[in-house]
Amino acid sequence: MSLQLMKERMKISGVTPREEMIRDGQNLLKEELEHDSSYSPTMYFYDTVNKKDDRIANLRVYSRKYSSLNGNYMNFLTTYDNPVRIGDYIHDTKDNTYWLVYNSFNVNDIHYEGKLIQCNYLLRWQLLDGKIVERWANIVSASKYDIGESGNSVVVLSSNNFTILIGYCEEGFELEGKRVFIDKRSNNPEKVFKITRGDDVLFDSGNMGSLLSFIADKTEFDINTDRPDLGICDYKEPSTSLPPSENQNETINLSASISGSSNIKIGFPRTYTVTFTDKNSNDINWDTVQFSWNIISNFNKSIEQEVKNNTIRLLIQDDIYIDEKIKLQVLVDNAVIKEMIISVSEAY
């Protein structure tokens, strides 16, 4: 733009030369943003509360790399009228990946640029009122120089530490001190970690947003309180609930009993049978109830199971599980209506 043209435009706008140049830079980027090969039309701001895409992100993304600090990451750039804040979530519908805004800078009032880190785990925990929430998290190892075991010549314990990053949210403040599953096995997660340290200041950037950072230490699975079927450790029944649906009313009015030994011997199968009654203690045919069996233990893969009609047959072959416990549950509409604890014993 010629100096004379700038002077004429300044007479109309009444702004300084610097403000005129900033406005030109903003307009130029807005016009050219979508024409660059790095522009991604498949990225959206993600609403973590309603679990849906909010609006298109309008980002250029480039320099995709990996680091031991954050895992997969890439840089972004967007226009000044499209502010991106630290802690925002971005959903790339092209490959169904979720990204967390790690840092974001206002560059001379012309554009925003920063860094996105890839989320690799959907973290779930339970609030004090019983509500279950989940957030996409970036999880990396905090024990890079740990061999993964500790102990002596008699006992060897696995050890591991993770650093966890999530976007700032009020629910995140309840994470500290909780035990959570961090395990990619969605059917029967067994790896449990305790959140031992939370930091809400390290990644605070004022009006540019914030992250919450945690350290998680490996701990033991608890058969009595942990619910792999819900992905929740130390599960407690909610203190408040929504009005029950018709199916929930049926579940509340339904009772079940499990017949079978509370002791299972190594190498010997045991069969367990479920029967149902209504609120008036009248028998209900099992084939009219949509139920399922659920087993909670820290060695599910070693338990042979055979379901037939209203029975389940269990068999354990390996004697390393002597003195372990199994929790056998009957579920209706994803609610536990009956459970029993089974002890594993030696075959005499």
Side-chain angles (χ1 to χ4, degrees):
M1 179 174 61
S2 67
L3 179 59
Q4 184 60 37
L5 178 58
M6 176 181 285
K7 289 180 178 180
E8 293 298 323
R9 289 176 56 179
M10 287 171 57
K11 290 179 182 179
I12 299 174
S13 62
V15 298
T16 65
R18 180 179 184 277
E19 290 172 328
E20 189 68 27
M21 293 179 66
I22 289 175
R23 189 171 66 176
D24 285 338
Q26 293 174 348
N27 291 335
L28 180 61
L29 182 58
K30 288 174 66 175
E31 292 175 2
E32 298 298 325
L33 181 74
E34 297 182 22
H35 301 299
D36 193 281
S37 60
S38 64
Y39 176 77
S40 175
T42 61
M43 286 187 158
Y44 292 81
F45 286 102
Y46 183 69
D47 183 346
T48 58
V49 176
N50 298 309
K51 302 178 184 178
K52 64 178 183 179
D53 295 336
D54 188 9
R55 56 187 172 87
I56 193 164
N58 282 324
L59 303 179
R60 286 181 182 175
V61 291
Y62 53 95
S63 298
R64 297 174 183 250
K65 296 179 181 179
Y66 173 85
S67 74
S68 59
L69 176 63
N70 297 127
N72 295 327
Y73 71 92
M74 57 185 171
N75 297 330
F76 75 87
L77 182 146
T78 189
T79 55
Y80 183 71
D81 61 345
N82 183 41
V84 178
R85 303 176 73 250
I86 297 171
D88 284 346
Y89 284 92
I90 305 294
H91 178 208
D92 191 346
T93 58
K94 181 179 180 180
D95 53 9
N96 198 32
T97 53
Y98 293 85
W99 300 77
L100 185 60
V101 179
Y102 185 72
N103 54 44
S104 182
F105 303 97
N106 170 6
V107 181
N108 299 323
D109 291 335
I110 294 177
H111 68 266
Y112 289 93
E113 65 179 49
K115 176 179 175 181
L116 305 177
I117 56 176
Q118 186 174 357
C119 300
N120 51 9
Y121 191 74
L122 187 61
L123 193 67
R124 293 169 61 88
W125 68 97
Q126 190 176 28
L127 303 181
L128 292 176
D129 63 4
K131 180 182 178 182
I132 295 175
V133 298
E134 55 187 19
R135 294 290 186 273
W136 282 101
N138 171 267
I139 301 179
V140 295
S141 176
S143 51
K144 299 179 179 64
Y145 305 104
D146 191 339
I147 63 172
E149 294 181 344
S150 62
N152 51 38
S153 59
V154 178
V155 178
V156 177
L157 302 174
S158 63
S159 64
N160 199 5
N161 307 94
F162 288 138
T163 298
I164 301 174
L165 290 177
I166 64 172
Y168 179 92
C169 61
E170 292 296 327
E171 295 86 351
F173 288 107
E174 292 194 28
L175 254 178
E176 187 167 3
K178 288 189 179 295
R179 297 167 62 255
V180 297
F181 284 109
I182 302 180
D183 194 332
K184 279 294 187 179
R185 294 170 293 187
S186 57
N187 292 333
N188 289 295
E190 299 175 357
K191 297 178 182 178
V192 178
F193 290 77
K194 183 176 182 179
I195 307 298
T196 57
R197 192 189 77 193
D199 289 312
D200 54 4
V201 176
L202 293 181
F203 296 91
D204 185 9
S205 298
N207 60 2
M208 284 302 296
S210 181
L211 299 174
L212 296 179
S213 172
F214 303 93
I215 295 294
D217 295 328
K218 184 74 179 296
T219 186
E220 296 301 315
F221 177 86
D222 189 333
I223 187 175
N224 296 310
T225 61
D226 299 340
R227 290 283 301 274
D229 55 319
L230 298 177
I232 297 295
C233 296
D234 298 322
Y235 177 75
K236 293 182 175 60
E237 291 295 333
S239 58
T240 59
S241 61
L242 297 174
S245 65
E246 181 179 347
N247 287 338
Q248 287 174 326
N249 279 326
E250 292 176 0
T251 303
I252 292 172
N253 293 329
L254 191 67
S255 298
S257 62
I258 302 174
S259 60
S261 175
S262 60
N263 181 276
I264 183 170
K265 296 180 179 181
I266 295 295
F268 290 86
R270 291 285 194 189
T271 299
Y272 299 87
T273 305
V274 60
T275 55
F276 300 96
T277 56
D278 62 19
K279 62 180 180 180
N280 297 318
S281 299
N282 298 316
D283 292 339
I284 299 176
N285 291 332
W286 64 267
D287 55 359
T288 63
V289 180
Q290 294 184 345
F291 74 96
S292 61
W293 295 97
N294 184 53
I295 293 177
I296 300 177
S297 74
N298 56 9
F299 56 101
N300 275 26
K301 292 184 178 180
S302 299
I303 303 175
E304 299 179 26
Q305 307 173 35
E306 181 182 346
V307 176
K308 184 177 181 181
N309 298 331
N310 62 330
T311 67
I312 184 170
R313 179 179 177 271
L314 305 180
L315 175 62
I316 303 170
Q317 303 277 17
D318 199 328
D319 59 9
I320 66 172
Y321 302 116
I322 292 174
D323 295 330
E324 293 283 356
K325 303 289 185 182
I326 301 171
K327 183 181 289 186
L328 180 63
Q329 300 176 328
V330 176
L331 307 181
V332 177
D333 294 330
N334 293 320
V336 178
I337 65 171
K338 187 65 178 179
E339 66 181 23
M340 71 181 298
I341 303 296
I342 304 170
S343 300
V344 182
S345 64
E346 183 178 1
Y348 302 110

